[in-house]
Structures are given as C-alpha cells and as structure tokens.
Amino acid sequence: MPWKAISHAIGFDTGRTSVLDAIGAWWERLRRELAAHRTPGYRTVAFTIAVTTLAAKMAKADGVALPIEERAFERVFDIPKGEEENFRRLYDLAAQDIAGFEVYASKIASLLADEPEMLNALLECLFHVAAADGILHPDEDRFLQIVAEKFGLSRAEFLSIRAGFINDPCSPYQILGVMPSLSDEELKLRHRELVREHHPDKLAVTGVPPELRCAATRRLAAINAAYDQIKAERATERQRLGRLNEA
C-alpha cells in the first residue's frame, strides 16, 4: 500500500482535519490518475485511505474504537516501518465517528469493480478486525451488512463470510449458500466450487494481494466444516430412516 503519500493526500501538511473533506477533494484526481495509468485499484492512495478509514469507523460502530482492533488492522495490512505515524493519525481521525462510512465502502467498490475476489477478501479482513476483541457487537454487524451491500455482495455471500468468524447458530446450508433440498451430488459440486473460489492459492493466482488473503484459511475452514456437518447430518438421518424401515 502507498503509505508514503498519505500524509499529503489527506492534508496533514496543510492542517486539514476532516478526512471526509480530504477524500472529496482528492477523489476525482485520483480516479483520473487511475484511468490514465491503469494502476490496480488496490495499489492507489485512494484505496489505502478508504480502507483505513472504513476499518476505523467500523471499530467505532459499537461506540468505542478499541486498541486491539487497531492492532488487528495493522497486522492484516502490514504497515511498513516508518509509516506508523501517518497510519495512526489517519486511523484516529477516522475513528472519531462513523459518519460517511457508506461513502468509503462505495469508493472501494468502485476501485475494485473489476476485481470481485478482492471485495470478498476485504470483507473477510474487516470481519477479522471486528472480531479481534472476541465480540461482534450488533452495531458492527449492521455496519458490515451495509458495507457488503455497497460492495455488491448478496445476503447469502455476506452470511457465508460472516460464519467464518462468528460462532452463532448459523445453518451450515447458509454458510454454503444453498438450500437444504440440494442433492448430495449437487452439494458436493457446490463445496468444490467454494473451495476453488476461496483457496488462498487461487486468490494469489487471481492477483489478490497478501494483505487481502489474511482471512482465507479461516474462511476455507468454515466452508469445509459446514460441508462435513451436512454430510454427517444426512448420514445420521439415512441411518434413522433405515432403522424405521426395518422395524
């Protein structure tokens, strides 16, 4: 991520204190540069600012932005040495409130419009930060639902990603995004499809950068666990029906 340009981009050197105002002033220029040089969206200053701001505002969604959430973000996005101060100034400014978070989510979706795998990976990373304190507050949950909508993800996709980080009574069918009426063979094909889509190696091949692949292993584990649970439940049900037929 281009941290070297952040201080100037958000106006620290000019005394500007509103991140939202700074983004508005810079957005059109950055978008023109992106189009002219065909720079990957995730390597632009705009993306760095938007993601950092979105994560900070998410941490504030439950009323208090905790240091553990900030540290989780730093681990996920690997802040380079020497850039910690710029990052923390931006993060602290953004964490003052959640105002305008939808704007940043929309801008990220625009930057990654041609890279849907990265939008999924980024939402996984945001869940990783949100769950860093061991609790997903209802306001954080609603925040992330709106972000998923802005990213263009379906409700099923959102719940499937969520299930990889939150332990609650969530149907394994919901995790896989399928109906219980699906046949065993169709279920197997769906499982294979999801494994291919979310495997860290596949994300690397499609160009998803390392900082957005941080949660892929955890996500893949949730997919496999859901598939194994359904298989076990179906096997148990077949055994039960077999005993009834014999009686």
Side-chain angles (χ1 to χ4, degrees), residues 34-112:
L34 176 63
H37 301 290
R38 299 188 181 279
T39 303
Y42 64 88
R43 296 204 178 277
T44 63
V45 175
F47 178 78
T48 301
I49 295 173
V51 170
T52 303
T53 302
L54 189 62
K57 290 185 177 297
M58 180 193 65
K60 182 66 173 179
D62 60 357
V64 181
L66 298 175
I68 191 172
E69 294 169 315
E70 181 177 346
R71 291 194 297 271
F73 180 85
E74 290 187 66
R75 288 193 299 271
V76 167
F77 287 93
D78 190 23
I79 311 302
K81 289 185 178 180
E83 298 301 322
E84 295 90 350
E85 183 179 353
N86 281 337
F87 158 72
R88 291 194 179 97
R89 294 173 75 183
L90 171 59
Y91 190 96
D92 290 345
L93 278 174
Q96 292 176 7
D97 55 47
I98 67 168
F101 79 90
E102 300 97 332
V103 174
Y104 300 104
S106 295
K107 291 185 184 302
I108 291 169
S110 176
L111 281 169
L112 302 182

Side-chain angles (χ1 to χ4, degrees), residues 51-243:
V51 170
T52 303
T53 302
L54 189 62
K57 290 185 177 297
M58 180 193 65
K60 182 66 173 179
D62 60 357
V64 181
L66 298 175
I68 191 172
E69 294 169 315
E70 181 177 346
R71 291 194 297 271
F73 180 85
E74 290 187 66
R75 288 193 299 271
V76 167
F77 287 93
D78 190 23
I79 311 302
K81 289 185 178 180
E83 298 301 322
E84 295 90 350
E85 183 179 353
N86 281 337
F87 158 72
R88 291 194 179 97
R89 294 173 75 183
L90 171 59
Y91 190 96
D92 290 345
L93 278 174
Q96 292 176 7
D97 55 47
I98 67 168
F101 79 90
E102 300 97 332
V103 174
Y104 300 104
S106 295
K107 291 185 184 302
I108 291 169
S110 176
L111 281 169
L112 302 182
D114 297 327
E115 300 162 297
E117 298 91 351
M118 294 191 189
L119 288 171
N120 280 274
L122 180 54
L123 186 63
E124 291 173 355
C125 291
L126 290 174
F127 264 108
H128 175 78
V129 175
D133 58 358
I135 300 172
L136 182 69
H137 190 278
D139 288 338
E140 291 176 323
D141 202 9
R142 284 189 287 271
F143 183 106
L144 290 169
Q145 288 181 49
I146 295 173
V147 169
E149 292 171 3
K150 296 297 182 181
F151 283 2
L153 304 181
S154 68
R155 175 67 176 169
E157 288 174 314
F158 168 77
L159 290 175
S160 182
I161 291 172
R162 181 183 185 276
F165 300 88
I166 307 303
N167 290 322
D168 60 10
C170 183
S171 165
Y173 291 98
Q174 203 171 59
I175 295 172
L176 300 182
V178 298
M179 298 296 292
S181 58
L182 211 66
S183 69
D184 288 350
E185 186 58 33
E186 290 171 323
L187 185 68
K188 181 186 295 184
L189 291 175
R190 174 60 174 168
H191 173 248
R192 288 177 178 173
E193 177 186 8
L194 288 173
V195 168
R196 285 196 302 269
E197 287 179 3
H198 296 282
H199 197 284
D201 292 344
K202 193 265 186 181
L203 294 178
V205 170
T206 55
V208 176
E211 60 265 33
L212 296 186
R213 301 199 301 265
C214 67
T217 300
R218 189 170 176 174
R219 173 85 176 91
L220 189 59
I223 290 170
N224 288 331
Y227 180 61
D228 290 342
Q229 181 181 342
I230 292 173
K231 287 198 304 179
E233 290 176 353
R234 290 188 173 190
T236 299
E237 180 63 12
R238 281 194 291 268
Q239 290 174 0
R240 186 185 71 83
L241 294 175
R243 289 194 296 268

